[in-house]
Amino acid sequence: MAATIKDVAREAQVHMSTVSRAFSVPHRVRPETRTRIMEAARRLGYRPSRVARALTTGRTHNIGFIVADIANPFFPPMIKAAEHTARARDYHLFVADASEDPAIEAELVDALAKQVDGVVLCAPRVSNAKIERLNETIPIALVNRKMTGIPSVTMDVVDGSQVAIEHLLELGHRKIAYVSGPRQSWTNSQIRRSVTSTADDRAEVTVLGPNTPNEDAGLAVAEQVASSGITAVLAYNDLLAIGLMEGLHSLGVDVPGQVSVIGIDDTVLARLARPSLTTLIVPTPDAGTAAIDLLLQYAAADMGEEEPRGGAHISLPTKLVVRDSTAPPPD
Amino acid sequence: MAATIKDVAREAQVHMSTVSRAFSVPHRVRPETRTRIMEAARRLGYRPSRVARALTTGRTHNIGFIVADIANPFFPPMIKAAEHTARARDYHLFVADASEDPAIEAELVDALAKQVDGVVLCAPRVSNAKIERLNETIPIALVNRKMTGIPSVTMDVVDGSQVAIEHLLELGHRKIAYVSGPRQSWTNSQIRRSVTSTADDRAEVTVLGPNTPNEDAGLAVAEQVASSGITAVLAYNDLLAIGLMEGLHSLGVDVPGQVSVIGIDDTVLARLARPSLTTLIVPTPDAGTAAIDLLLQYAAADMGEEEPRGGAHISLPTKLVVRDSTAPPPD
DNA sequence: GACCGGCCTACAATCGTTTGCGTAATTTAA
DNA sequence: TTAAATTACGCAAACGATTGTAGGCCGGTC
């Protein structure tokens, strides 16, 4: 049906191999033959088969991009950026949704392994040991997780949550809660640690959770917050924060009058919520782009094209944006 | 490196072809040989190469999923559902973002064509003629566009916008605007037509646009709305509606006191906006699932496995959800 | 006991490229 | 003009599977 390299060869009166070279190493074929070949290719509407090419070269020019939950507004901007930069490098992206499930995550890597040059795991829920093992099969790059020996890009939530907590301390809060995210999240443990160490003895910190990082879970945790004398909350992400605000609202607790709330991610939702949500800006598009580039150079190294660089780590800065959900505690 | 079918064959003391059959047509190989083969495969950690398989069978078990803008919250739930149902059918999804650009859209289809069994075009911006031509290269299924001869799934926005307009008429509005979406959007023209024909001579309808379907464009159109005596607006999507509400707010125009606003899509944003947005619920996950299934059966037919069914059209029901952004007009 | 019909399994061609190797053609040097 | 050094191209073997065809073995029948 579609034209193959053989058809082009016949049309241009040369051997297949010459056609192949005309595309891959143009300078190795005489200019006039080259143009003759290109002409023929154009006439026949020839496009090289990536599949066949992959079979011989061992490189598919595809990348797997696995996220915990596509519907979580944290991810789309990252996926979008990743897809664009991949395309700019002549790569295509398989996007898969692991539904916050470690087992599915691992299975996806295995399933994809045979038809990609590498996999980006975003906010992985799977264990370090498992990642280590998967990385022996196929090059892996991590987003929102740091492991020695594996390239990764993380958001500097340690600094970010520190800034967030300082903000609350400055406002005068002394009873603070951290609404925790999923247990398997590396980011979550980073934040938790940072929160308690920042508060130190300047404030009492309660950890509520772990929670699935969605609105419903946030809503469910509202009661605990309302009944515990807590005056300020930092949540693992905007979804939890917004759910919490809704829950508090329906319990008649005023935000920020009685309780201040801070989210993380600065998703589109944060600005729209009422009160608008004070939150941590994390550069998700940059993370997507960086992850692709890191993976690509790591994968190239893996194919012996250059010195393997092991685990390069990129940490992206975060920034607190203060909106209307934070205020001094009630006296 | 990784085990091939040949390794398994050697390990199990049979010919490659037998191994192949053990996987693809298990009943054609003697049970004991089969278990011996499976054992060997397990020991070697063998996974068939989808790439090699694709080369002989002509089926890649991959699907291209092209959307206008991943970051538009309308799409992620659809992508998620599509990815899940594709996976359940043993297919993987290439997701690509066309940035609302017809040229990129077409280029993406071409680029993907050689390594997918079909492509789902979501809310395509490219012309009918071009789609027709692309469909000759590779099976295509459409979401939010209807064309004879090509399978598609659409949301019943004609009915939906009719209901929306009736809602406004009942409230007493007589000067209504439709804030139009992108010119190339099929849905957009459907809605526009439906709005004007529903209003008929019961209300005066102004069309504002076309607009890029994002918040900024909505914001920009606020001034026109404010200065024209319009008391109610239906917008092409939630993003435009929300932008418009913001714009009106900053112009000191009260929603819904002075102007009522209705969106379309019922994205996560609608419920969060203040006032919460009256909008049209469209079943995006169902659309994703249906598109995959339609494409798969259409693509199978295309491979001669059954009678081609040409263009099956699925229309999904929409539903108006009334929230706080609509009210009677000021007297 | 030879023959026939069914299962199983092996053989080998094929899918569309890439690529190392060899050779014809061309250029350069002498 | 000829030998040497390049260059341009053709040849054919991979890559890892699938699949049509053919042969081997088996038991059962007459």
Side-chain angles (χ1 to χ4, degrees), chain A residues 184-233:
Chain A
Q184 306 94 334
S185 161
W186 180 84
T187 306
N188 183 57
S189 60
Q190 293 291 110
I191 300 170
R192 188 165 39 67
R193 220 186 317 264
S194 169
V195 166
T196 53
S197 79
T198 302
D200 197 25
D201 51 2
R202 295 184 290 167
E204 177 188 333
V205 171
T206 318
V207 174
L208 303 173
N211 302 285
T212 312
N214 60 28
E215 253 185 275
D216 290 343
L219 213 143
V221 88
E223 198 146 353
Q224 277 181 77
V225 171
S227 63
S228 57
I230 288 165
T231 65
V233 174

Side-chain angles (χ1 to χ4, degrees), chain B residues 4-5 17 20-21 46 48-49 56:
Chain B
T4 78
I5 204 174
S17 57
S20 174
R21 274 186 259 267
Y46 168 75
S49 157
T56 46

Side-chain angles (χ1 to χ4, degrees), chain A residues 5 17 20 49 56:
Chain A
I5 205 175
S17 56
S20 174
S49 157
T56 44

